[in-house]
Coordinates of all heavy atoms in Angstrom, one line a residue:
M1013 N -7.8 -1.6 -14.5 CA -7.9 -0.8 -13.3 C -6.7 -1.1 -12.4 O -6.4 -2.2 -12.0 CB -9.2 -1.1 -12.5 CG -9.4 -0.1 -11.3 SD -9.8 1.6 -11.9 CE -9.6 2.4 -10.3
Q1014 N -5.9 -0.1 -12.0 CA -4.7 -0.2 -11.3 C -4.9 -0.1 -9.8 O -5.6 0.8 -9.4 CB -3.6 0.6 -11.8 CG -2.2 0.2 -11.3 CD -1.1 1.2 -11.9 OE1 -1.3 2.4 -12.0 NE2 0.0 0.7 -12.2
C1015 N -4.3 -0.9 -9.0 CA -4.5 -0.8 -7.5 C -3.7 0.5 -7.0 O -2.5 0.6 -7.3 CB -4.0 -2.0 -6.8 SG -3.9 -1.8 -5.0
P1016 N -4.3 1.4 -6.4 CA -3.6 2.6 -6.0 C -2.6 2.4 -4.8 O -1.9 3.3 -4.4 CB -4.7 3.6 -5.6 CG -5.8 2.7 -5.3 CD -5.7 1.5 -6.0
C1017 N -2.8 1.2 -4.3 CA -1.9 0.9 -3.1 C -0.6 0.2 -3.5 O 0.5 0.7 -3.1 CB -2.8 0.0 -2.2 SG -1.9 -0.4 -0.7
C1018 N -0.7 -0.9 -4.3 CA 0.6 -1.6 -4.7 C 0.8 -1.5 -6.1 O 1.8 -2.0 -6.6 CB 0.5 -3.0 -4.2 SG -0.7 -4.0 -5.1
Y1019 N 0.0 -0.8 -6.9 CA 0.1 -0.5 -8.3 C 0.0 -1.7 -9.2 O 0.4 -1.8 -10.3 CB 1.5 0.2 -8.6 CG 1.6 1.4 -7.8 CD1 2.5 1.5 -6.8 CD2 0.8 2.5 -8.0 CE1 2.7 2.6 -6.0 CE2 1.0 3.7 -7.2 CZ 1.9 3.7 -6.2 OH 2.0 4.9 -5.5
S1020 N -0.5 -2.8 -8.5 CA -0.8 -4.0 -9.3 C -2.0 -3.8 -10.2 O -2.9 -3.1 -9.9 CB -1.1 -5.2 -8.4 OG -1.7 -6.3 -9.1
T1021 N -1.9 -4.4 -11.4 CA -3.1 -4.4 -12.3 C -3.9 -5.6 -12.2 O -4.9 -5.7 -12.9 CB -2.6 -4.2 -13.8 OG1 -1.6 -5.1 -14.0 CG2 -2.0 -2.8 -14.0
Q1022 N -3.6 -6.4 -11.2 CA -4.4 -7.6 -11.0 C -5.6 -7.3 -10.0 O -5.5 -7.7 -8.9 CB -3.5 -8.7 -10.4 CG -2.5 -9.2 -11.3 CD -2.0 -10.7 -11.0 OE1 -2.1 -11.0 -9.9 NE2 -1.7 -11.3 -12.0
T1023 N -6.5 -6.6 -10.6 CA -7.7 -6.2 -9.8 C -8.9 -6.7 -10.4 O -8.9 -7.0 -11.7 CB -7.7 -4.7 -9.6 OG1 -7.8 -4.1 -11.0 CG2 -6.6 -4.1 -8.9
F1024 N -10.0 -6.9 -9.7 CA -11.2 -7.3 -10.2 C -12.4 -6.6 -9.7 O -12.3 -6.1 -8.5 CB -11.4 -8.8 -10.1 CG -11.3 -9.3 -8.7 CD1 -12.4 -9.5 -7.9 CD2 -10.1 -9.7 -8.2 CE1 -12.3 -9.9 -6.6 CE2 -10.0 -10.2 -6.9 CZ -11.1 -10.3 -6.2
K1025 N -13.4 -6.5 -10.4 CA -14.6 -5.8 -9.9 C -15.2 -6.5 -8.8 O -15.4 -7.8 -8.8 CB -15.6 -5.6 -11.0 CG -15.1 -4.6 -12.1 CD -16.1 -4.4 -13.2 CE -15.6 -3.4 -14.1 NZ -16.4 -3.2 -15.4
N1026 N -15.6 -5.9 -7.8 CA -16.1 -6.4 -6.5 C -17.4 -5.8 -6.0 O -17.5 -5.4 -4.9 CB -15.0 -6.3 -5.4 CG -15.2 -7.3 -4.3 OD1 -15.8 -8.3 -4.4 ND2 -14.9 -6.8 -3.1
G1027 N -18.3 -5.7 -6.9 CA -19.6 -5.2 -6.6 C -19.7 -3.7 -6.5 O -18.7 -2.9 -7.0
F1028 N -20.7 -3.1 -6.0 CA -20.9 -1.6 -5.9 C -21.0 -1.2 -4.5 O -21.6 -1.9 -3.6 CB -22.1 -1.2 -6.7 CG -21.9 -1.2 -8.1 CD1 -22.2 -2.3 -8.9 CD2 -21.5 0.0 -8.8 CE1 -21.9 -2.3 -10.3 CE2 -21.4 0.0 -10.2 CZ -21.5 -1.2 -10.9
R1029 N -20.4 0.0 -4.2 CA -20.6 0.6 -2.9 C -21.1 2.0 -3.1 O -20.4 2.8 -3.9 CB -19.3 0.7 -2.1 CG -18.7 -0.6 -1.8 CD -19.2 -1.2 -0.5 NE -19.0 -2.7 -0.6 CZ -17.8 -3.2 -0.2 NH1 -16.9 -2.5 0.2 NH2 -17.7 -4.5 -0.4
K1030 N -22.2 2.4 -2.5 CA -22.8 3.7 -2.7 C -22.8 4.2 -4.1 O -22.5 5.3 -4.5 CB -21.9 4.7 -1.8 CG -22.0 4.5 -0.3 CD -20.9 5.4 0.4 CE -20.9 5.0 1.9 NZ -19.8 5.6 2.6
G1031 N -23.2 3.2 -4.9 CA -23.4 3.5 -6.4 C -22.1 3.6 -7.1 O -22.2 4.0 -8.3
R1032 N -21.0 3.3 -6.6 CA -19.8 3.4 -7.3 C -19.1 2.0 -7.5 O -19.2 1.2 -6.5 CB -18.7 4.3 -6.6 CG -19.2 5.8 -6.7 CD -18.5 6.6 -5.7 NE -17.1 7.0 -6.2 CZ -16.2 7.6 -5.5 NH1 -16.4 7.7 -4.2 NH2 -15.1 7.9 -6.0
Q1033 N -18.5 1.8 -8.5 CA -17.9 0.5 -8.8 C -16.7 0.3 -7.8 O -15.9 1.2 -7.5 CB -17.2 0.5 -10.2 CG -16.5 -0.8 -10.5 CD -17.5 -2.0 -10.7 OE1 -18.5 -1.9 -11.5 NE2 -17.3 -3.0 -9.9
C1034 N -16.8 -0.9 -7.2 CA -15.8 -1.2 -6.2 C -14.9 -2.3 -6.8 O -15.3 -3.2 -7.4 CB -16.5 -1.8 -4.9 SG -15.4 -2.0 -3.5
Y1035 N -13.6 -2.2 -6.4 CA -12.6 -3.1 -7.0 C -11.8 -3.8 -5.8 O -11.8 -3.2 -4.7 CB -11.5 -2.4 -7.9 CG -12.1 -1.9 -9.2 CD1 -12.7 -0.7 -9.2 CD2 -11.9 -2.6 -10.3 CE1 -13.2 -0.2 -10.4 CE2 -12.5 -2.2 -11.5 CZ -13.1 -0.9 -11.5 OH -13.6 -0.4 -12.7
K1036 N -11.3 -4.9 -6.1 CA -10.5 -5.6 -5.1 C -9.2 -6.0 -5.8 O -9.1 -6.4 -6.9 CB -11.1 -6.8 -4.6 CG -10.4 -7.3 -3.3 CD -11.2 -8.3 -2.5 CE -10.4 -8.7 -1.3 NZ -11.2 -9.6 -0.3
C1037 N -8.0 -5.8 -5.1 CA -6.7 -6.1 -5.6 C -6.4 -7.6 -5.2 O -6.4 -7.9 -4.0 CB -5.7 -5.1 -5.1 SG -4.0 -5.6 -5.6
K1038 N -6.0 -8.3 -6.2 CA -5.5 -9.8 -6.0 C -4.2 -9.7 -5.2 O -3.9 -10.7 -4.5 CB -5.4 -10.5 -7.3 CG -6.6 -11.1 -7.8 CD -6.4 -11.9 -9.0 CE -7.6 -12.3 -9.7 NZ -7.4 -12.9 -11.1
Q1039 N -3.4 -8.8 -5.5 CA -2.0 -8.7 -5.0 C -1.9 -8.5 -3.5 O -1.4 -9.2 -2.8 CB -1.2 -7.6 -5.7 CG 0.3 -7.7 -5.5 CD 0.9 -8.5 -6.6 OE1 0.4 -8.9 -7.6 NE2 2.2 -8.7 -6.5
C1040 N -2.7 -7.3 -3.1 CA -2.5 -7.0 -1.6 C -3.9 -7.2 -1.0 O -4.0 -7.0 0.3 CB -2.0 -5.5 -1.5 SG -3.2 -4.3 -2.1
G1041 N -4.9 -7.5 -1.6 CA -6.2 -7.8 -1.0 C -7.0 -6.5 -0.6 O -8.0 -6.6 0.0
R1042 N -6.5 -5.4 -1.0 CA -7.1 -4.2 -0.7 C -8.3 -3.9 -1.5 O -8.3 -4.2 -2.7 CB -6.1 -3.0 -0.9 CG -6.3 -1.7 -0.3 CD -5.6 -1.7 1.0 NE -6.2 -0.7 1.9 CZ -5.6 0.0 2.8 NH1 -4.3 -0.1 2.9 NH2 -6.3 0.9 3.6
Q1043 N -9.3 -3.3 -0.9 CA -10.5 -3.0 -1.6 C -10.5 -1.5 -1.8 O -10.1 -0.7 -1.0 CB -11.8 -3.3 -0.9 CG -12.1 -4.8 -0.8 CD -13.5 -5.1 -0.3 OE1 -14.4 -4.9 -1.0 NE2 -13.5 -5.7 0.9
F1044 N -10.9 -1.0 -3.0 CA -10.9 0.3 -3.3 C -12.0 0.7 -4.3 O -12.4 -0.1 -5.1 CB -9.6 0.9 -3.8 CG -9.0 0.1 -5.0 CD1 -9.3 0.7 -6.3 CD2 -8.4 -1.0 -4.9 CE1 -8.8 0.0 -7.4 CE2 -7.9 -1.8 -6.0 CZ -8.1 -1.2 -7.3
L1045 N -12.5 1.9 -4.2 CA -13.5 2.5 -5.1 C -12.8 3.1 -6.2 O -11.6 3.6 -6.1 CB -14.4 3.5 -4.4 CG -15.4 2.9 -3.3 CD1 -16.0 4.1 -2.5 CD2 -16.4 2.1 -3.9
E1046 N -13.5 3.2 -7.4 CA -13.0 3.9 -8.5 C -12.6 5.3 -8.1 O -13.3 6.0 -7.4 CB -14.2 3.9 -9.6 CG -13.7 3.8 -11.0 CD -14.9 3.5 -11.9 OE1 -16.0 3.8 -11.4 OE2 -14.7 3.1 -13.0
S1047 N -11.5 5.6 -8.5 CA -10.9 7.0 -8.3 C -10.8 7.4 -6.7 O -10.9 8.6 -6.4 CB -11.6 8.0 -9.0 OG -12.9 8.4 -8.4
Y1048 N -10.8 6.4 -5.9 CA -10.6 6.7 -4.4 C -9.2 6.4 -4.1 O -8.8 5.3 -4.0 CB -11.6 5.9 -3.6 CG -11.4 6.1 -2.2 CD1 -11.8 7.3 -1.6 CD2 -10.8 5.1 -1.4 CE1 -11.6 7.5 -0.2 CE2 -10.6 5.4 0.0 CZ -11.0 6.6 0.6 OH -10.8 6.8 1.9
Q1049 N -8.4 7.4 -3.8 CA -7.0 7.2 -3.5 C -6.5 7.9 -2.2 O -5.4 8.4 -2.1 CB -6.1 7.6 -4.6 CG -6.5 6.9 -5.9 CD -5.4 7.0 -7.0 OE1 -4.5 7.8 -6.9 NE2 -5.6 6.2 -8.0
A1050 N -7.5 8.1 -1.3 CA -7.1 8.9 -0.1 C -6.0 8.3 0.7 O -5.2 9.1 1.3 CB -8.4 9.0 0.8
W1051 N -5.8 7.0 0.7 CA -4.8 6.4 1.5 C -3.5 6.0 0.6 O -2.7 5.3 0.9 CB -5.2 5.1 2.1 CG -6.2 4.3 1.2 CD1 -7.5 4.4 1.3 CD2 -5.8 3.3 0.3 NE1 -8.1 3.5 0.4 CE2 -7.0 2.9 -0.3 CE3 -4.7 2.8 -0.2 CZ2 -7.0 1.9 -1.3 CZ3 -4.7 1.9 -1.2 CH2 -5.9 1.4 -1.7
C1052 N -3.5 6.8 -0.6 CA -2.4 6.5 -1.4 C -1.3 7.5 -1.2 O -1.6 8.7 -1.2 CB -2.9 6.6 -2.9 SG -1.5 6.3 -4.1
Y1053 N -0.1 7.1 -0.9 CA 1.0 8.1 -0.7 C 2.0 8.1 -1.8 O 2.1 7.1 -2.5 CB 1.7 7.7 0.7 CG 0.7 7.7 1.8 CD1 0.2 6.6 2.3 CD2 0.5 8.9 2.5 CE1 -0.7 6.5 3.4 CE2 -0.4 8.9 3.6 CZ -1.0 7.8 4.0 OH -1.8 7.8 5.1
S1054 N 2.7 9.1 -1.9 CA 3.7 9.3 -3.0 C 4.9 8.4 -2.7 O 5.1 7.9 -1.6 CB 4.2 10.7 -3.1 OG 5.1 11.0 -2.0
N1055 N 5.7 8.1 -3.7 CA 6.8 7.3 -3.6 C 7.9 7.9 -2.6 O 8.6 7.1 -1.9 CB 7.5 7.1 -5.0 CG 7.4 5.7 -5.5 OD1 7.1 4.8 -4.7 ND2 7.7 5.5 -6.7
D1056 N 7.9 9.2 -2.6 CA 8.9 9.9 -1.7 C 8.5 9.6 -0.3 O 9.5 9.2 0.5 CB 8.8 11.4 -1.9 CG 9.4 11.8 -3.2 OD1 10.0 11.0 -3.9 OD2 9.2 13.0 -3.6
V1057 N 7.3 9.6 0.1 CA 6.9 9.3 1.5 C 7.2 7.9 1.8 O 7.7 7.5 2.9 CB 5.3 9.6 1.6 CG1 4.9 9.2 3.0 CG2 5.0 11.1 1.4
K1058 N 6.9 7.0 0.8 CA 7.2 5.6 1.0 C 8.6 5.3 1.2 O 9.0 4.6 2.2 CB 6.7 4.9 -0.3 CG 6.2 3.5 -0.1 CD 5.9 2.8 -1.4 CE 4.5 3.1 -1.9 NZ 4.2 2.3 -3.1
Q1059 N 9.5 5.9 0.4 CA 10.9 5.7 0.6 C 11.4 6.2 1.9 O 12.2 5.6 2.5 CB 11.7 6.5 -0.6 CG 11.5 5.9 -2.0 CD 11.9 4.4 -2.0 OE1 12.9 4.0 -1.5 NE2 11.1 3.7 -2.7
L1060 N 10.8 7.3 2.3 CA 11.2 7.9 3.7 C 10.9 7.0 4.8 O 11.7 6.8 5.7 CB 10.4 9.2 3.9 CG 10.7 10.0 5.1 CD1 12.2 10.7 5.1 CD2 9.7 11.1 5.4
C1061 N 9.7 6.3 4.7 CA 9.3 5.4 5.7 C 10.3 4.2 5.7 O 10.6 3.7 6.8 CB 7.9 4.9 5.5 SG 6.7 6.3 5.9
L1062 N 10.6 3.7 4.5 CA 11.5 2.5 4.4 C 12.8 2.9 5.0 O 13.5 2.0 5.7 CB 11.6 2.1 2.9 CG 10.3 1.6 2.3 CD1 10.5 1.2 0.9 CD2 9.8 0.3 3.1
K1063 N 13.3 4.1 4.7 CA 14.6 4.5 5.3 C 14.6 4.5 6.8 O 15.5 4.1 7.5 CB 15.0 5.8 4.7 CG 15.7 5.8 3.3 CD 16.1 7.1 2.8 CE 16.4 7.1 1.4 NZ 16.2 8.4 0.7
M1064 N 13.5 5.1 7.3 CA 13.4 5.2 8.8 C 13.4 3.8 9.4 O 14.0 3.6 10.4 CB 12.0 5.8 9.1 CG 11.9 7.4 9.0 SD 10.3 7.9 9.3 CE 10.6 9.6 9.6
H1065 N 12.7 2.8 8.7 CA 12.7 1.5 9.2 C 14.1 0.9 9.2 O 14.6 0.1 10.1 CB 11.7 0.6 8.4 CG 11.6 -0.7 8.8 ND1 11.0 -1.2 10.0 CD2 12.2 -1.9 8.3 CE1 11.1 -2.4 10.2 NE2 11.8 -2.9 9.2
L1066 N 14.8 1.1 8.1 CA 16.2 0.6 7.9 C 17.1 1.2 9.0 O 18.1 0.5 9.4 CB 16.7 1.0 6.5 CG 16.2 0.1 5.3 CD1 16.7 0.7 4.1 CD2 16.5 -1.3 5.5
K1067 N 16.8 2.4 9.5 CA 17.6 3.0 10.5 C 17.3 2.4 11.9 O 17.9 2.8 12.9 CB 17.4 4.5 10.6 CG 18.1 5.2 9.5 CD 17.9 6.8 9.6 CE 18.6 7.5 8.3 NZ 18.0 8.9 8.3
G1068 N 16.3 1.6 11.9 CA 16.0 0.9 13.2 C 14.7 1.4 13.9 O 14.5 0.9 15.0
M1069 N 14.0 2.3 13.3 CA 12.8 2.7 13.9 C 11.7 1.7 13.8 O 11.6 1.0 12.8 CB 12.3 4.0 13.2 CG 13.1 5.3 13.7 SD 12.5 6.7 12.7 CE 11.0 7.1 13.6
S1070 N 10.9 1.5 14.8 CA 9.8 0.6 14.8 C 8.7 1.2 14.0 O 8.6 2.4 13.7 CB 9.3 0.3 16.2 OG 8.6 1.4 16.7
L1071 N 7.7 0.3 13.5 CA 6.6 0.8 12.8 C 5.8 1.8 13.5 O 5.3 2.8 12.9 CB 5.8 -0.4 12.3 CG 6.4 -1.4 11.4 CD1 5.5 -2.4 10.9 CD2 7.0 -0.7 10.1
R1072 N 5.7 1.6 14.8 CA 4.8 2.5 15.7 C 5.5 3.9 15.7 O 4.9 4.9 15.7 CB 4.7 1.9 17.1 CG 4.0 0.7 17.2 CD 2.5 0.9 17.1 NE 1.7 -0.4 17.2 CZ 0.5 -0.5 17.2 NH1 -0.3 0.5 17.1 NH2 -0.1 -1.7 17.2
E1073 N 6.9 3.9 15.8 CA 7.6 5.2 15.9 C 7.5 5.9 14.5 O 7.3 7.1 14.5 CB 9.1 4.9 16.1 CG 9.4 4.6 17.6 CD 10.8 4.1 17.8 OE1 11.4 3.5 16.9 OE2 11.3 4.2 18.9
I1074 N 7.5 5.1 13.4 CA 7.4 5.8 12.1 C 5.9 6.3 12.0 O 5.7 7.4 11.4 CB 7.7 4.8 11.0 CG1 9.1 4.3 11.1 CG2 7.4 5.4 9.6 CD1 9.4 3.1 10.2
E1075 N 5.0 5.6 12.5 CA 3.6 6.0 12.5 C 3.4 7.3 13.2 O 2.7 8.2 12.7 CB 2.7 4.9 13.1 CG 1.2 5.3 13.1 CD 0.3 4.3 13.8 OE1 0.6 3.1 13.6 OE2 -0.7 4.7 14.3
R1076 N 4.1 7.4 14.4 CA 4.0 8.7 15.1 C 4.6 9.9 14.4 O 4.1 11.0 14.4 CB 4.6 8.5 16.5 CG 3.6 8.0 17.6 CD 4.2 8.2 19.0 NE 5.3 7.5 19.2 CZ 5.4 6.2 19.7 NH1 4.2 5.6 19.9 NH2 6.5 5.6 19.9
A1077 N 5.7 9.5 13.7 CA 6.5 10.6 13.0 C 5.8 11.0 11.8 O 5.9 12.2 11.4 CB 7.9 10.1 12.8
T1078 N 5.2 10.1 11.0 CA 4.7 10.5 9.7 C 3.2 10.5 9.6 O 2.6 11.0 8.6 CB 5.2 9.4 8.7 OG1 4.7 8.2 9.1 CG2 6.7 9.4 8.6
D1079 N 2.5 9.9 10.7 CA 1.0 9.9 10.7 C 0.5 9.0 9.7 O -0.7 9.0 9.3 CB 0.5 11.4 10.4 CG -0.3 11.8 11.5 OD1 -0.4 11.1 12.6 OD2 -1.0 12.9 11.4
I1080 N 1.3 8.0 9.3 CA 0.9 7.0 8.3 C 0.7 5.7 9.2 O 1.5 5.3 10.0 CB 1.9 6.7 7.2 CG1 2.0 8.0 6.4 CG2 1.5 5.5 6.4 CD1 3.2 7.9 5.5
H1081 N -0.5 5.1 9.0 CA -0.8 3.9 9.7 C 0.2 2.8 9.6 O 0.7 2.5 8.5 CB -2.2 3.3 9.4 CG -2.8 2.5 10.4 ND1 -2.6 1.1 10.3 CD2 -3.5 2.8 11.5 CE1 -3.3 0.6 11.4 NE2 -3.8 1.6 12.1
H1082 N 0.6 2.1 10.7 CA 1.8 1.2 10.6 C 1.5 0.0 9.7 O 2.4 -0.6 9.2 CB 2.1 0.7 12.1 CG 1.0 0.0 12.8 ND1 0.1 0.6 13.5 CD2 0.7 -1.3 12.8 CE1 -0.8 -0.2 14.0 NE2 -0.5 -1.5 13.6
T1083 N 0.2 -0.4 9.6 CA -0.1 -1.5 8.6 C 0.2 -1.1 7.2 O 0.6 -2.0 6.4 CB -1.6 -2.0 8.7 OG1 -2.4 -0.9 8.6 CG2 -1.8 -2.7 10.1
T1084 N 0.0 0.2 6.9 CA 0.3 0.6 5.5 C 1.8 0.5 5.3 O 2.3 0.1 4.3 CB -0.1 2.1 5.4 OG1 -1.5 2.2 5.7 CG2 0.1 2.6 4.0
I1085 N 2.6 1.0 6.3 CA 4.1 0.9 6.3 C 4.5 -0.6 6.1 O 5.3 -0.9 5.3 CB 4.7 1.5 7.5 CG1 4.2 3.0 7.6 CG2 6.2 1.5 7.4 CD1 4.5 3.7 8.9
L1086 N 3.9 -1.4 7.0 CA 4.1 -2.9 6.9 C 3.9 -3.5 5.5 O 4.8 -4.2 5.1 CB 3.3 -3.6 8.0 CG 3.6 -5.1 8.1 CD1 5.0 -5.4 8.6 CD2 2.5 -5.8 9.0
H1087 N 2.9 -3.0 4.9 CA 2.6 -3.5 3.5 C 3.7 -3.1 2.6 O 4.1 -3.9 1.7 CB 1.2 -2.9 3.1 CG 0.9 -3.1 1.6 ND1 0.5 -4.3 1.2 CD2 1.1 -2.3 0.5 CE1 0.4 -4.2 -0.1 NE2 0.7 -3.0 -0.5
W1088 N 4.2 -1.8 2.7 CA 5.2 -1.4 1.8 C 6.5 -2.1 2.1 O 7.2 -2.4 1.1 CB 5.5 0.1 2.2 CG 4.5 1.1 1.7 CD1 3.4 0.8 0.9 CD2 4.2 2.4 2.2 NE1 2.6 1.9 0.8 CE2 3.1 2.9 1.6 CE3 4.9 3.2 3.1 CZ2 2.6 4.2 1.8 CZ3 4.5 4.5 3.3 CH2 3.3 5.0 2.6
L1089 N 6.8 -2.5 3.4 CA 8.0 -3.2 3.7 C 7.9 -4.6 3.0 O 8.9 -5.1 2.4 CB 8.1 -3.4 5.2 CG 8.5 -2.1 5.9 CD1 8.4 -2.4 7.5 CD2 9.9 -1.7 5.6
R1090 N 6.7 -5.2 3.1 CA 6.5 -6.6 2.5 C 6.7 -6.5 1.0 O 7.4 -7.3 0.4 CB 5.1 -7.1 2.8 CG 5.0 -7.5 4.3 CD 3.9 -8.6 4.3 NE 3.6 -8.9 5.8 CZ 2.5 -8.8 6.3 NH1 1.5 -8.4 5.7 NH2 2.3 -9.1 7.6
K1091 N 6.2 -5.4 0.5 CA 6.3 -5.2 -1.0 C 7.7 -5.0 -1.4 O 8.2 -5.6 -2.4 CB 5.4 -4.1 -1.4 CG 5.4 -3.7 -2.9 CD 4.5 -4.8 -3.6 CE 4.3 -4.5 -5.1 NZ 5.5 -4.0 -5.8
A1092 N 8.4 -4.2 -0.6 CA 9.8 -3.9 -0.9 C 10.7 -5.1 -0.8 O 11.6 -5.4 -1.6 CB 10.4 -2.9 0.0
K1093 N 10.4 -6.0 0.2 CA 11.1 -7.2 0.4 C 10.9 -8.2 -0.8 O 11.8 -8.8 -1.3 CB 10.7 -7.9 1.7 CG 11.6 -9.1 2.0 CD 11.4 -9.6 3.4 CE 12.4 -10.7 3.7 NZ 12.5 -11.7 2.6
L1094 N 9.6 -8.2 -1.3 CA 9.3 -9.0 -2.4 C 10.1 -8.6 -3.6 O 10.6 -9.4 -4.4 CB 7.8 -9.0 -2.7 CG 6.9 -9.8 -1.9 CD1 5.4 -9.6 -2.2 CD2 7.2 -11.3 -1.9
D1095 N 10.2 -7.3 -3.8 CA 10.9 -6.7 -5.0 C 12.4 -7.1 -4.9 O 13.0 -7.5 -5.8 CB 10.8 -5.2 -5.0 CG 9.4 -4.8 -5.4 OD1 8.6 -5.7 -5.9 OD2 9.1 -3.6 -5.2
L1096 N 12.9 -7.0 -3.6 CA 14.3 -7.4 -3.4 C 14.6 -8.9 -3.7 O 15.5 -9.2 -4.4 CB 14.7 -7.0 -2.0 CG 15.0 -5.6 -1.6 CD1 15.3 -5.4 -0.2 CD2 16.1 -5.0 -2.5
D1097 N 13.7 -9.7 -3.2 CA 13.8 -11.1 -3.4 C 13.7 -11.4 -5.0 O 14.4 -12.2 -5.5 CB 12.6 -11.9 -2.8 CG 12.8 -11.9 -1.3 OD1 13.9 -11.6 -0.8 OD2 11.9 -12.3 -0.5
G1098 N 12.8 -10.6 -5.6 CA 12.6 -10.8 -7.1 C 13.9 -10.4 -7.8 O 14.3 -11.2 -8.7
I1099 N 14.6 -9.4 -7.3 CA 15.9 -9.0 -8.0 C 16.9 -10.1 -7.7 O 17.7 -10.4 -8.6 CB 16.3 -7.6 -7.4 CG1 15.3 -6.5 -8.0 CG2 17.7 -7.3 -7.9 CD1 15.4 -5.2 -7.2
A1100 N 16.9 -10.5 -6.5 CA 17.9 -11.5 -6.1 C 17.8 -12.8 -6.9 O 18.8 -13.5 -7.1 CB 17.8 -11.8 -4.6
N1101 N 16.6 -13.1 -7.2 CA 16.3 -14.4 -7.9 C 16.6 -14.4 -9.4 O 16.5 -15.4 -10.1 CB 14.9 -14.8 -7.6 CG 14.7 -15.3 -6.1 OD1 15.7 -15.7 -5.6 ND2 13.5 -15.2 -5.7
T1102 N 16.8 -13.2 -9.9 CA 16.9 -13.1 -11.4 C 18.4 -13.0 -11.8 O 19.3 -12.6 -10.9 CB 16.2 -11.9 -12.0 OG1 16.5 -10.7 -11.2 CG2 14.7 -12.1 -11.9
Ligands
ZN2085 ZN1 -2.9 -3.7 -4.3

């Protein structure tokens, strides 16, 4: 089961909610139900938000502009930074 948030496959079953299998992601700690991806955004949207941030917009400003919660954007930023660090270290 892949995490719809950070695409990590390090997920584990975390009980049942409303009769559906619930999973939790080891990578980002996000809980999600099987086939529930309402808060999952496309890569294009993600890249757009990261670009806005690089241009100096605050997370709150991006939230107002895109309607995406700032903690979601913060998560992407952290993930992007991890990826960059990973590249730098190899
Ligand atoms: Zn995740």
